[in-house]
Amino acid sequence: MECTDQIDPAAYFDSYEDLKIHELMLKDKPRQDAYQKAILGSRALFAGKTVLDVGAGTGILSIFCAQAGASKVYAVEASNLARLARAVVEENQLQAVIEVSECKVEDFQLPDGERVDIIVSEWMGFFLLHEGMLDSVLYARDKFLKPNGLMFPDTATLFVAPCSVPSRFDQWENLSGVSMRCFGRALREQNSGNPEVLTVAPEHLLYDGHIIAWFDLMEVTAEELNCIEVKDVIVAQRTGKLQGFCIWFECSFPDDGVEQQQLSTNPTAPETHWKQTVIPLPEETCEELEERDPVAFSLSMTRNKETNRRYDLQLTLLDAEKEEHHLPCECHMTKCILMKTHLEKMQVEEQL
């Protein structure tokens, strides 16, 4: 079936910006591939099952579910994108399987108290939670998912690492042959502490990744997402200038015992439209790190009081000498070297 009717973008999108956002998402190949492989690679889990797609958008995930053998897919989309989803479903001749509803999932009702076997959603925002829609997914889970049902994805992990950000800091050293350090300094002072969405090169990570939080989406509650806090000491794994902290996420999907699929926004993974989130540091706190240098910090992610879907980030650098280190610690501080030696000695004695 070809889509030959005259298309009115205003019927589907709230604004030109909205249209461009969804174009960007549909062109995000790693995102698309992760969901397609997770769903079509789990046909045994989807065959003959009922699926709820929360925040269905253009309907592409619903179509993946139908292609995987789902007997019924409820695609719920709150915006007028639902009309485009219907057109896409008809274009792919799947209207007998996929039913599109234009409403919030909180206002959606399944027929006769029915529950679904699987919930599918692409709910992630920047640094996972910011401008995301996980609350709505958890509402749908509690109201519509069968006790033995599945979530796609079913886990999510947040990571942080100290990093260099030369694209943000160093370009002002020489701009078309002109030194603009004073401008760069003023820009960093204005933006220090405010998160920015950037692409961080893998070689600019000073640590491979420290887990901030891990979520089991079958169990986590909305209340547990109100505030996420971590205070720790990271030991630099490579040399570089500490200019900020990089945050990214990974989501994993259920599998049928063959291969578990994952969607990653790690700087080492193919770039997605989420990129990475960087909290740049003020210039006076930037320092050259050597391998095994300790970096102590605290980081909090707290719901914005005025807008529930937004999060405020607060990063504080701490004194590594005063903070408790993990044992054994690989840093070069004397107390950690002595403690590591002591623990290794004890281990050898226990084996004798």
Side-chain angles (χ1 to χ4, degrees), residues 110-279:
L110 283 170
D112 301 323
E114 179 185 349
R115 286 187 170 247
V116 299
D117 299 292
I118 300 171
I119 290 178
V120 168
S121 182
E122 194 271 79
W123 51 264
M124 295 79 79
F126 296 103
F127 58 89
L128 188 67
L129 299 176
H130 186 70
E131 297 289 10
M133 47 177 287
L134 182 53
D135 283 3
S136 293
V137 174
L138 300 184
Y139 172 89
R141 177 199 68 190
D142 295 342
K143 185 169 183 181
F144 300 121
L145 188 64
K146 292 178 180 178
N148 59 343
L150 297 173
M151 302 279 287
F152 274 69
D154 63 348
T155 70
T157 310
L158 263 170
F159 297 86
V160 68
C163 66
S164 299
V165 199
S167 62
R168 194 71 180 85
F169 281 77
D170 300 349
Q171 61 179 315
W172 308 110
E173 297 289 319
N174 184 334
L175 188 67
S176 300
V178 179
S179 175
M180 297 290 290
R181 292 177 185 172
C182 57
F183 176 81
R185 191 177 302 118
L187 185 66
R188 291 194 297 273
E189 187 64 30
Q190 179 69 29
N191 293 328
S192 63
N194 296 319
E196 301 181 38
V197 177
L198 302 171
T199 298
V200 177
E203 62 268 22
H204 294 149
L205 288 180
L206 304 179
Y207 186 80
D208 290 339
H210 180 79
I211 294 178
I212 304 172
W214 178 83
F215 304 111
D216 179 349
L217 300 180
M218 290 297 298
E219 301 291 341
V220 68
T221 65
E223 291 73 23
E224 291 174 315
L225 303 175
N226 288 339
C227 184
I228 297 160
E229 296 178 305
V230 61
K231 184 171 82 165
D232 223 319
V233 179
I234 290 176
V235 180
Q237 294 174 316
R238 53 194 66 92
T239 299
K241 192 164 188 178
L242 173 61
Q243 296 175 319
F245 280 73
C246 177
I247 304 173
W248 68 90
F249 66 85
E250 294 178 352
C251 292
S252 296
F253 298 85
D255 65 87
D256 58 1
V258 180
E259 180 183 3
Q260 186 176 51
Q261 293 298 324
Q262 190 175 76
L263 171 61
S264 175
T265 62
N266 190 313
T268 61
E271 184 176 326
T272 69
H273 75 279
W274 289 285
K275 301 182 181 179
Q276 290 83 41
T277 299
V278 173
I279 305 176

Side-chain angles (χ1 to χ4, degrees), residues 81-101:
L81 260 179
R83 303 164 201 173
L84 177 60
R86 288 194 189 97
V88 173
V89 168
E90 291 178 7
E91 184 177 345
N92 288 271
Q93 301 180 31
L94 289 170
Q95 57 268 43
V97 177
I98 302 172
E99 178 182 322
V100 181
S101 297

Side-chain angles (χ1 to χ4, degrees), residues 4 62 109 141 232 237 291 320:
T4 57
S62 294
Q109 294 292 331
R141 177 199 68 190
D232 223 319
Q237 294 174 316
E291 188 176 340

Side-chain angles (χ1 to χ4, degrees), residues 261-334:
Q261 293 298 324
Q262 190 175 76
L263 171 61
S264 175
T265 62
N266 190 313
T268 61
E271 184 176 326
T272 69
H273 75 279
W274 289 285
K275 301 182 181 179
Q276 290 83 41
T277 299
V278 173
I279 305 176
L281 296 173
E283 185 176 21
E284 62 270 17
T285 64
C286 296
E287 60 176 322
E288 290 289 344
L289 292 183
E290 298 293 333
E291 188 176 340
R292 296 178 63 202
D293 276 350
V295 180
F297 71 100
S298 67
L299 174 65
S300 66
M301 302 171 56
T302 309
R303 283 193 199 268
N304 185 280
K305 294 180 180 178
E306 296 179 359
T307 309
N308 201 43
R309 286 178 58 184
R310 293 184 178 181
Y311 279 75
D312 299 320
L313 294 181
Q314 180 66 48
L315 175 78
T316 304
L317 286 178
L318 304 173
D319 187 341
E321 293 206 12
K322 296 180 180 178
E323 297 301 319
E324 184 176 347
H325 295 211
H326 290 288
L327 296 178
C329 178
E330 298 295 330
C331 85
H332 60 55
M333 292 178 64
T334 301

